[in-house]
Amino acid sequence: MSSEKKLAEEIREISGVNPLKCMKCGKCSATCPSYNEMDIKPHQFVSYVINEDIESLVNSKSLWKCLSCMACVQRCPRDVKPGKLIDAARQIVVRQRGGDYLTPDEIPELLDPDVPQQLLVSAFRRYRR
Ligand code: SF4
Ligand code: SF4
């Protein structure tokens, strides 16, 4: 199995998404608050995973421009969850870089009480295995 194929499979597995359900309506992109800053748009994440072009996806600006707000997930009429696909791609990069160095048990003592809950949930979604 080629490494691109393996990574595409890993993204499908981590995200729990079936990209083949996408009907390319573009509603996810229309609702995305980071759309203008993205080089690969939310509705296109799906095609990159289907075409197993994971290298382009993980090297895109979009990988770090996505806010994990999941507005696209709520908007998608086919339950495709493009935000989860990009989240999974980000996790793959973080794992490859060895950035996954904290366990959940270690987090509470590092918390600042002024940190917004939304930020924590977003970071947890992004970095948990
Ligand atoms: S909203 Fe869903 S079905 Fe429509 S393009 Fe985006 S991922 Fe595909
Ligand atoms: S989760 Fe990411 S891709 Fe989806 S709407 Fe929010 S910023 Fe855009």
Side-chain angles (χ1 to χ4, degrees), residues 11-73:
I11 287 180
R12 285 193 294 266
E13 200 176 292
I14 296 171
S15 63
V17 166
N18 175 5
L20 294 174
K21 286 183 0 189
C22 175
M23 60 181 185
K24 305 202 187 315
C25 65
K27 286 182 178 172
C28 50
S29 288
T31 202
C32 176
S34 294
Y35 179 88
N36 289 336
E37 295 176 71
M38 289 185 171
D39 46 0
I40 297 177
K41 309 298 186 188
H43 69 283
Q44 296 172 321
F45 301 163
V46 178
S47 306
Y48 279 80
V49 176
I50 290 173
N51 297 330
E52 296 170 353
D53 184 1
I54 308 305
E55 198 179 334
S56 301
L57 196 59
V58 299
N59 288 315
S60 70
K61 276 198 289 182
S62 304
L63 197 73
W64 307 110
K65 292 293 177 185
C66 169
L67 304 169
S68 296
C69 67
M70 300 298 158
C72 56
V73 172

